[in-house]
Amino acid sequence: MSYCQVIVDITSEDVDRVFTYRVPKGMELCPGMRVHVPFGRMNRVEGVVVEMAEDCDLPPARVRDVTDTLEDYPAILPSMLDLAKRIKETSFCTLAQALRLMIPAQMRGERIRSRTREYAVLTVDQDIWAQALASQKRAPRRAQALQALMQAPQGEMPMDELKAQAGDCRQSVLALQELGFVRLERRESLRSPYGAMEQLAQHDPQLTPQQEEVLSALLPAIEAGKGAFLLYGVTGSGKTEVFIRAVRRAAQMGRTAIVLVPEIALTPQMVMWFRSRFGEDAAVLHSRLSPGERYDEWRRIRRGDVRVVIGARSAIFAPLENVGLIIIDEEHEQSYIADNNPRYDARELARMRCEREGAALLLASATPSMRSFAMAGRGDLTLLEMLRRVKNRPMPQVHIVDMRDELKKGNRSVFSGALLDGLRACMDAGRQAILFVNRRGYSTFVSCRSCGYTVSCTQCDVSMTYHMSEHALRCHYCGQEAQVPTVCPECGSRYIKFFGTGTQRVEEEVHRYFPDIPVLRMDNDTTRTKDAHETILSAFRRGEARILVGTQMIAKGLDFPNVTMVGIVAADAMLKLPDYRSAERTFQLLTQVAGRAGRAEYPGEVYLQTYDPEHYAVEAASRQDYRAFYAEEMQRRKRALYPPYTLIARILIESGSEDKAQAAAQAAMRQMEAFLDRRAYLRKYIAALRVMPCPVKRIKGKSRWQVTLKIVDKPICQEAVGKMSEIAQAPVEGCLCVCQVNPSSMM
Ligand code: ADP
Ligand code: ZN
Ligand code: ZN
């Protein structure tokens, strides 16, 4: 008799353990396979086999049979089963929740399956074809179908194509099958998400000495199957080429690789590069794939058809076997953190996978995260540097423009005189320009000049954003729309003013100054449809527009040889956000945006408009001086006890009732205090423990409260973080509670 241990796909805590089932005769099972099992009063629940067992201590009457299997292969690889267990431990979630990360969501509940195509396959040998045909003289339809198959390569054809040639011949083909001439079979057919992709040059460029040097450190680690690196390479230093060579080396050794990129807007270019060099050997996983495409890519990966997987955060769960290298590009990006359900940091999971599977890890950025650079300082990561651009091209020259002076001069336009001159010079030279508008923190809101009233969303504690094209207000948190008032609802004044500089406003201004120059805009509004990113970026690449106006989406990774000028409309827009990382994010963003200029033959110029020119983040970014910024920022973090010196855990509580949210937050606080009374030795590691409303007090009509814990980042302190998580998991009537650790947003 054989048994198996199953985790059922129910995420409640009470069933967060394995259950034993009997394996019926003839059913082949192994760990990682998905099964249907009866569970309690439910007679069909999905589960994952985590272990096989020869016998079982339970009385036979209490053990039930596995009903059936969902696939005839383990959907969850052994290494991924391990990873799920680690996630359960570090994220304080159930194993079922962790396992859900490992397969496309639509595979659960069988909402999606392989798409198959029916083939008709000739089964008679060529020397008796004539005979077979002759036997069907009286059945012209059958003869026609046979003839078509005889002319097809390998004597086979998909049924839909056969029907196109020979008419509706299904009955005839079935008859031919009866006669033993033909066999009908279903084969999996995979949807391809690469439809209209541009192809780039496929040849290998000669490596630069810097690239050679970095690779000579990296390749032995790939061969040895261990080592973790941080590649600090300035913008335009040629990091992508390093990735490609490293992945290829891994492939030559018969191993596979995962390349993580932060955002969808970045993916098309990176995907394009990899696809043009690796062809069908590369798979993409990103959030814009249709469920079918996602499933098919997952299948290709799982079947071992691909050598390299490129994708956003969740591609760290790609079911690749024999991983030899994991690369995380733009490693400083917040998007590598999933805040909850369950929380994980793709960078940490990458490290675990590498250790578990004997692979090398490469984090890369022009603006490494404080945490990674500190790890490199301690020797936990090996630092590799590329401090010059490819072919010794100069770094862009950055001009800081003090916008307070512009105001004094009476210039109320969004553009300074200097930026306009630079843009004009760039256009006159026949080149392209990028104008960057910081979306985050730079609200485009409507406000009354007499009394200061601003239009806020009725559901969320934020001002609504003005959309010029529809002349309407929209809330960016919940999507609610409102009319633009003509008189102030508070004081009746007619002096209503539109504040701020959105992408639309910038686009209009560009039209005003350069009526004949074609402009493209890339922001949330213009990229709602599936292929919008690719369409806009490739139009810009082809030179169909000379100026690209955009938000964060255009800040990173893009490589347009003809772009020689970058204008940063408001550099300091997010310095004022209530988040300890606002200086770091400002520095990263400015450096990355500036790095889009002058990446090919022609040198680049950057105009950085700011109201805060002396700020160290702005200043260091203008010199592209990562180390100077890092030194200053680390001192500040140390003084204020912020990560990486500490970690921040928060219990976030949302409720339709302000009172309930507040009461729940206060109750959570009391529990935490009581816990610390019992664990007095933890007190000395705690920098702060507070209960208060969140900076954004309301979203979608829900009041938001938080308990925040700032504690030294030491193993012993995990206990306190675990307690925060435990408190958050206890259900509170009328409230939604989650625990986040170093959340990507503190709002
Ligand atoms: P990064 O990611 O470091 O900012 P990229 O990888 O985008 O830089 O490279 C910048 C540019 O230099 C790209 O256009 C790339 O094709 C080119 N490039 C990279 N390596 C080489 C090389 N060895 N020889 C010539 N051009 C290169
Ligand atoms: Zn007013
Ligand atoms: Zn809202």
Side-chain angles (χ1 to χ4, degrees):
M1 202 41 81
S2 135
Y3 299 88
C4 63
Q5 311 276 9
V6 173
I7 287 282
V8 291
D9 189 21
I10 297 174
T11 58
S12 141
E13 290 260 312
D14 343 324
V15 299
D16 186 24
R17 59 186 183 85
V18 291
F19 294 88
T20 302
Y21 289 88
R22 195 169 18 243
V23 183
K25 268 210 167 35
M27 181 182 288
E28 295 202 14
L29 272 188
C30 66
M33 278 178 78
R34 300 196 307 146
V35 289
H36 282 126
V37 291
F39 188 75
R41 275 180 312 245
M42 294 173 277
N43 56 21
R44 210 174 148 83
V45 172
E46 280 179 22
V48 175
V49 176
V50 293
E51 232 169 285
M52 302 301 296
E54 279 310 309
D55 33 44
C56 150
D57 314 333
L58 296 168
R62 292 196 44 206
V63 181
R64 300 204 264 175
D65 279 12
V66 171
T67 314
D68 59 10
T69 56
L70 277 90
E71 292 95 8
D72 54 7
Y73 59 92
I76 315 262
L77 290 168
S79 57
M80 303 312 279
L81 213 48
D82 266 16
L83 198 62
K85 288 177 190 163
R86 299 284 293 271
I87 293 172
K88 172 184 152 81
E89 282 159 23
T90 52
S91 310
F92 314 103
C93 64
T94 66
L95 193 52
Q97 277 173 323
L99 284 169
R100 284 184 179 182
L101 297 168
M102 312 288 165
I103 55 171
Q106 293 80 7
M107 272 171 77
R108 293 175 31 235
E110 298 177 272
R111 278 166 289 153
I112 196 154
R113 304 208 118 196
S114 341
R115 190 164 69 175
T116 57
R117 209 167 171 194
E118 197 173 31
Y119 278 73
V121 184
L122 209 53
T123 50
V124 290
D125 285 337
Q126 194 157 4
D127 42 330
I128 59 162
W129 277 6
Q131 215 177 315
L133 257 183
S135 75
Q136 301 303 315
K137 250 196 327 241
R138 303 250 186 86
R141 292 217 129 187
R142 291 186 208 167
Q144 199 185 354
L146 269 182
Q147 204 152 20
L149 285 174
M150 286 167 181
Q151 277 152 14
Q154 270 107 47
E156 61 179 48
M157 212 186 250
M159 271 307 280
D160 45 289
E161 284 175 24
L162 186 61
K163 283 180 190 165
Q165 279 192 23
D168 187 7
C169 54
R170 189 169 181 83
Q171 288 311 320
S172 316
V173 172
L174 286 174
L176 288 168
Q177 177 161 263
E178 283 287 295
L179 292 169
F181 290 163
V182 168
R183 182 178 69 239
L184 272 171
E185 63 184 42
R186 293 214 151 261
R187 294 184 194 166
E188 203 169 335
S189 88
L190 300 174
R191 288 149 278 224
S192 171
Y194 312 107
M197 211 157 53
E198 277 177 81
Q199 291 288 317
L200 290 186
Q202 310 214 346
H203 62 269
D204 284 358
Q206 165 111 42
L207 292 175
T208 67
Q210 275 187 136
Q211 289 169 329
E212 296 267 18
E213 210 169 297
V214 163
L215 281 165
S216 70
L218 212 49
L219 297 187
I222 299 172
E223 271 150 39
K226 59 173 192 243
F229 298 85
L230 172 63
L231 170 58
Y232 162 47
V234 298
T235 56
S237 58
K239 295 187 283 296
T240 315
E241 193 59 36
V242 169
F243 302 162
I244 289 175
R245 300 296 173 100
V247 169
R248 189 181 297 155
R249 186 75 198 100
Q252 281 162 356
M253 294 169 49
R255 310 201 58 180
T256 59
I258 298 175
V259 181
L260 297 188
V261 291
E263 257 176 79
I264 174 65
L266 252 179
T267 319
Q269 205 159 16
M270 185 68 100
V271 169
M272 214 157 71
W273 269 319
F274 271 85
R275 289 279 298 178
S276 60
R277 308 281 276 282
F278 291 93
E280 283 297 317
D281 283 348
V284 242
L285 289 175
H286 59 70
S287 57
R288 299 248 172 173
L289 294 181
S290 71
E293 287 170 345
R294 169 173 296 270
Y295 173 73
D296 286 354
E297 283 299 86
W298 187 91
R299 281 290 293 141
R300 280 199 328 125
I301 299 165
R302 181 64 189 81
R303 288 199 316 210
D305 292 351
V306 306
R307 289 246 157 253
V308 52
V309 174
I310 302 148
R313 173 173 80 207
S314 61
I316 196 59
F317 303 116
L320 264 183
E321 284 178 281
N322 204 6
V323 176
L325 173 66
I326 299 182
I327 295 173
I328 302 188
D329 192 20
E330 315 280 2
E331 68 85 25
H332 61 278
E333 281 291 316
Q334 288 304 314
S335 60
Y336 288 122
I337 297 178
D339 272 335
N340 33 48
N341 293 331
R343 154 185 206 271
Y344 67 87
D345 183 332
R347 293 165 296 193
E348 277 159 29
L349 297 188
R351 216 180 156 85
M352 288 182 198
R353 259 195 104 161
C354 286
E355 278 163 15
R356 164 79 173 59
E357 298 176 52
L361 174 67
L362 175 62
L363 307 179
S365 175
T367 53
S369 65
M370 304 306 285
R371 188 185 165 81
S372 296
F373 211 74
M375 283 171 75
R378 287 196 306 266
D380 292 341
L381 291 168
T382 305
L383 185 65
L384 305 171
E385 292 181 295
M386 299 206 295
L387 301 177
R388 286 177 306 280
R389 284 187 155 183
V390 168
K391 299 189 177 152
N392 278 323
R393 284 167 194 149
M395 294 305 286
Q397 200 191 343
V398 181
H399 311 271
I400 294 190
V401 185
D402 187 340
M403 290 306 275
R404 293 169 305 189
D405 293 344
E406 296 293 312
L407 268 181
K408 280 184 214 138
K409 283 188 235 158
N411 176 7
R412 300 198 171 274
S413 150
V414 297
F415 299 139
S416 59
L419 189 148
L420 267 183
D421 289 346
L423 191 53
R424 197 162 286 129
C426 170
M427 292 299 110
D428 289 348
R431 312 255 176 265
Q432 290 177 297
I434 287 179
L435 295 178
F436 169 71
V437 184
N438 200 337
R439 173 176 51 83
R440 233 169 297 158
Y442 206 109
S443 36
T444 43
F445 52 94
V446 169
S447 133
C448 167
R449 278 204 229 181
S450 304
C451 75
Y453 169 84
T454 57
V455 183
S456 299
C457 176
T458 54
Q459 299 299 304
C460 309
D461 172 38
V462 289
S463 37
M464 295 184 91
T465 305
Y466 177 58
H467 284 252
M468 198 175 304
S469 53
E470 304 114 87
H471 189 62
L473 292 163
R474 187 179 303 138
C475 170
H476 274 192
Y477 279 91
C478 72
Q480 176 165 280
E481 297 203 10
Q483 297 251 306
V484 180
T486 48
V487 294
C488 173
E490 279 292 299
C491 74
S493 156
R494 296 183 162 275
Y495 290 100
I496 293 277
K497 190 172 180 251
F498 306 114
F499 268 106
T501 314
T503 40
Q504 296 183 345
R505 167 97 191 276
V506 168
E507 188 187 13
E508 296 223 333
E509 291 264 298
V510 172
H511 277 307
R512 205 153 62 79
Y513 288 108
F514 303 92
D516 305 326
I517 300 269
V519 180
L520 277 167
R521 174 160 64 89
M522 186 150 156
D523 57 21
N524 276 335
D525 287 335
T526 60
T527 52
R528 295 215 175 143
T529 55
K530 188 174 167 228
D531 296 321
H533 290 93
E534 275 110 310
T535 312
I536 295 174
L537 293 178
S538 37
F540 190 60
R541 178 183 306 285
R542 287 192 303 268
E544 284 164 29
R546 304 274 307 284
I547 299 175
L548 176 65
V549 177
T551 57
Q552 261 75 350
M553 288 177 193
I554 60 170
K556 305 158 291 237
L558 302 179
D559 186 42
F560 299 107
N562 205 27
V563 170
T564 59
M565 188 270 184
V566 166
I568 299 172
V569 176
D572 38 30
M574 59 186 193
L575 279 175
K576 305 287 183 304
L577 293 182
D579 190 315
Y580 68 92
R581 288 156 300 197
S582 56
E584 182 182 7
R585 292 196 180 152
T586 300
F587 173 79
Q588 289 165 345
L589 199 61
L590 297 184
T591 308
Q592 298 281 351
V593 178
R596 299 312 109 208
R599 293 165 69 84
E601 287 147 62
Y602 325 105
E605 306 258 342
V606 178
Y607 294 85
L608 193 161
Q609 302 189 153
T610 174
Y611 290 93
D612 209 349
E614 289 92 25
H615 194 284
Y616 67 99
V618 175
E619 224 269 308
S622 77
R623 289 184 287 116
Q624 315 260 295
D625 189 345
Y626 175 79
R627 281 182 186 269
F629 173 77
Y630 175 80
E632 171 83 38
E633 180 71 7
M634 278 303 260
Q635 278 198 357
R636 285 167 188 258
R637 299 265 180 109
K638 190 169 185 179
R639 245 179 281 137
L641 289 173
Y642 275 121
Y645 293 98
T646 54
L647 57 80
I648 292 178
R650 80 161 170 178
I651 300 175
L652 172 64
I653 295 161
E654 296 186 321
S655 171
S657 143
E658 167 72 20
D659 290 347
K660 279 186 183 161
Q662 180 173 3
Q666 278 159 351
M669 180 71 176
R670 281 193 300 275
Q671 285 180 58
M672 201 56 207
E673 286 285 4
F675 168 79
L676 290 172
D677 287 343
R678 276 173 277 137
R679 303 277 197 290
Y681 54 88
L682 285 175
R683 289 270 184 198
K684 67 168 180 285
Y685 299 110
I686 293 180
L689 175 64
R690 291 201 186 92
V691 56
M692 63 194 147
C694 297
V696 178
K697 297 185 185 65
R698 230 151 54 95
I699 291 180
K700 297 185 187 171
K702 297 259 194 291
S703 296
R704 307 170 79 237
W705 275 73
Q706 61 182 9
V707 175
T708 56
L709 170 71
K710 197 156 82 170
I711 188 165
V712 176
D713 191 357
K714 277 198 184 254
I716 184 176
C717 301
Q718 276 303 319
E719 207 187 343
V721 179
K723 184 69 190 175
M724 290 281 280
S725 168
E726 189 191 310
I727 294 171
Q729 277 173 23
V732 180
E733 191 260 317
C735 296
L736 207 72
C737 307
V738 290
C739 178
Q740 305 171 326
V741 182
N742 291 344
S744 64
S745 160
M746 298 288 291
M747 304 303 273

